[in-house]
Amino acid sequence: MPHSKRPAATRKRDAAQPTADSRIACDIFCAVIDNFGDIGVCWRLARQLVHEHGWEVRLFVDDLHAFQRLCPAIDLERATQSVEDVVVEHWHEPEHAGETLQIADVVIEAFACELPSAYLAAMAQRERTPVWLNLEYLSAEDWVADFHLRPSPHPRYPLLKHFFFPGLGPGTGGVLKERELDAARAAFERSADARAAWWQSATGGPPPGPDATVISLFAYENPAVDALLEQWQDSPTPIVLLVPQGRISGALARYFGVQSFDAHACAERGSLRAHGLAFTEQRGYDALLWASDLNFVRGEDSFVRAQWAARPFVWQIYPQADDAHLPKLDAALEHYARTLAEAPRNALARFWHAWNGNGDHAATAGSNSAASLSHETSAPMPPPVPDWRDFAQHLPAFKTRAQAWAGELAQAGDLGGNLAEFAKTQLK
Ligand code: TRH
């Protein structure tokens, strides 16, 4: 079953746990639309299928630059390379993957990217029909469980595609979680030395004292950030802000009146001390979440990692046309905030919505009088202001809930394991 012409490196299984399905060959196709989430999810899944399930994985990706940001071992010049026992193919044009015509047992098209037509035709010719999965974007909405694993016959070829839906609840594909993740977090939390080493390498100094609230900020450009920085500056207790270099860095630079706010930047104003951090290799991002008391995350993969970090978080969802993302934000809140008491639940919803620019929600919830007023007078609505004091008073409740939620989420199962199990049932 394995790909016949694999580089020898991929056939080595020293690092992998050999399992019953160790000979399954899998091709993952990833077209990078924007940012890091597409490749972030595919890279995580590829590694997991190799190292936890013993599969042979080729990852076709069309943007090696984006990939290299979270995996510095990627060589931009190489068409084919083996990294951590995953064969990485630079998918340079739609037909490229068809050249080799080595069709895998399991073919995953990520996020509805289109398979090369020659590859698709060869899939139909293969003696043993491959298992074909479309890995969808994560949504916490209820309909996801109904559509998860629905088959869809190809209109021309005798091929069946199944839709694999990640989700936060039972009956969905779950979300990615490596087997050793909880143990790695526990080890970091237990070890004062590991934490001190992390702070030294990330910020050049020791960890802050226990009275400080440590906040990581991974975000898109956001008009609400200035108001939040001002509130942190005026906070009665110290705030230490950790900002990985990226789309929000310009706002920090403007706020502190400096040229840029990239790695190694450090600035203070009032109670707020902010550090610019280097964008790390993907595994390194988890430690930032573990080192913080509160995490601002975005998109898909960091949103999931924040949940496994079992700490309070604020989600900036990937914005879509016509506010199509807002029901998804509410669906996530419904799961995550389900068992919170009314006051913290409402404060959480207000804050998340304000951070996502949704003044309507803040007005409905009665927290943003400026927004309510302009609604009545039909003047253009000012950007909603996230109310830090309103949110921060509930941090202990959010912390307790975050810990319980990580346990609940685990019940949906790990996406990599769920996907491997399903594929095996189809390969029989
Ligand atoms: O980069 P994103 O905004 O990606 C988004 C989402 O996936 C969205 O759903 C999708 O539609 C859009 O892209 C096209 O956010 P996300 O999903 O959190 O991905 C960020 C990745 O970057 C994640 O795998 C973690 C990783 N990362 C690092 O490797 N190092 C770092 O220092 C940081 C901050 C992140």
Side-chain angles (χ1 to χ4, degrees):
M1 273 199 285
H3 299 294
S4 49
K5 294 182 205 153
R6 288 294 174 76
T10 61
R11 284 192 232 112
K12 279 196 211 140
R13 289 275 161 245
D14 321 351
Q17 304 282 334
T19 61
D21 51 346
S22 64
R23 291 170 55 82
I24 291 175
C26 172
D27 282 349
I28 302 176
F29 287 84
C30 173
V32 174
I33 307 293
D34 203 4
N35 304 316
F36 305 108
D38 304 296
I39 185 59
V41 169
C42 291
W43 176 228
R44 207 180 276 294
L45 173 63
R47 275 181 300 168
Q48 232 184 309
L49 291 175
V50 169
H51 298 130
E52 296 185 7
H53 300 277
W55 288 19
E56 288 196 347
V57 177
R58 282 194 306 190
L59 174 55
F60 289 83
V61 54
D62 63 354
D63 182 348
L64 292 184
H65 283 94
F67 196 177
Q68 196 193 42
R69 292 293 305 283
L70 33 92
C71 177
I74 291 291
D75 182 341
L76 297 178
E77 304 305 322
R78 296 188 65 182
T80 304
Q81 55 200 298
S82 176
V83 183
E84 297 190 36
D85 285 330
V86 174
V87 175
V88 176
E89 292 268 355
H90 187 191
W91 184 17
H92 49 80
E93 56 180 79
E95 291 307 305
H96 159 61
E99 286 163 11
T100 58
L101 293 185
Q102 299 168 41
I103 306 302
D105 305 305
V106 180
V107 180
I108 301 174
E109 57 179 49
F111 315 123
C113 72
E114 213 173 309
L115 292 180
S117 53
Y119 188 96
L120 191 64
M123 278 168 69
Q125 301 289 316
R126 197 180 192 256
E127 197 184 318
R128 196 165 174 203
T129 312
V131 177
W132 181 14
L133 301 174
N134 179 12
L135 175 63
E136 288 287 343
Y137 283 114
L138 168 63
S139 170
E141 291 165 296
D142 287 343
W143 59 262
V144 162
D146 293 336
F147 283 80
H148 178 52
L149 297 183
R150 276 217 190 160
S152 161
H154 190 275
R156 290 196 316 283
Y157 295 122
L159 290 170
L160 198 61
K161 170 158 74 176
H162 284 89
F163 290 91
F164 200 94
F165 275 93
L168 302 186
T172 71
V175 289
L176 290 169
K177 184 185 190 193
E178 297 83 358
R179 282 181 192 154
E180 79 287 359
L181 181 63
D182 285 341
R185 176 167 62 87
F188 184 85
E189 286 168 349
R190 258 196 324 269
S191 165
D193 287 349
R195 289 198 308 278
W198 183 87
W199 277 92
Q200 189 61 41
S201 110
T203 69
D211 57 335
T213 304
V214 179
I215 302 173
S216 81
L217 181 63
F218 180 44
Y220 308 119
E221 298 81 358
N222 193 324
V225 76
D226 282 345
L228 207 47
L229 292 169
E230 272 163 27
Q231 292 172 71
W232 286 335
Q233 173 181 331
D234 296 336
S235 160
T237 54
I239 303 281
V240 175
L241 185 64
L242 304 174
V243 190
Q245 183 174 336
R247 290 174 57 176
I248 198 85
S249 302
L252 271 289
R254 281 190 296 282
Y255 186 78
F256 287 110
V258 293
Q259 280 235 306
S260 62
F261 206 81
D262 297 331
H264 313 300
C266 180
E268 280 189 52
R269 244 198 223 180
S271 304
L272 172 65
R273 189 174 92 223
H275 294 274
L277 265 49
F279 194 93
T280 63
E281 183 268 333
Q282 194 183 40
R283 275 190 208 84
Y285 179 57
D286 286 317
L288 171 60
L289 300 169
W290 305 334
S292 303
D293 300 304
L294 169 68
N295 293 299
F296 284 70
V297 290
R298 70 182 208 194
E300 176 161 332
D301 192 53
S302 58
F303 165 61
V304 171
R305 304 313 278 184
Q307 294 171 69
W308 294 136
R311 283 158 168 69
F313 70 95
V314 179
W315 184 28
Q316 187 177 17
I317 191 169
Y318 186 77
Q320 288 176 274
D322 300 328
D323 286 343
H325 55 287
L326 291 179
K328 295 182 186 166
L329 187 76
D330 279 325
L333 274 167
E334 226 161 90
H335 283 273
Y336 181 59
R338 197 173 51 84
T339 59
L340 278 173
E342 196 179 340
R345 194 172 64 236
N346 289 341
L348 185 77
R350 279 195 293 272
F351 198 86
W352 277 31
H353 273 272
W355 186 239
N356 283 280
N358 184 22
D360 281 349
H361 182 95
T364 318
S367 75
N368 189 328
S369 52
S372 320
L373 188 66
S374 53
H375 195 63
E376 280 158 24
T377 56
S378 15
M381 293 235 279
V385 174
D387 184 339
W388 174 246
R389 203 143 46 123
D390 178 45
F391 178 83
Q393 65 179 323
H394 299 296
L395 275 172
F398 297 152
K399 188 173 172 187
T400 308
R401 175 59 191 150
Q403 286 163 351
W405 169 246
E408 284 174 40
L409 183 60
Q411 285 166 19
D414 149 56
L415 187 148
N418 290 340
L419 187 146
E421 276 310 306
F422 176 72
K424 279 194 284 177
T425 62
Q426 300 298 299
L427 282 170
K428 273 180 192 155

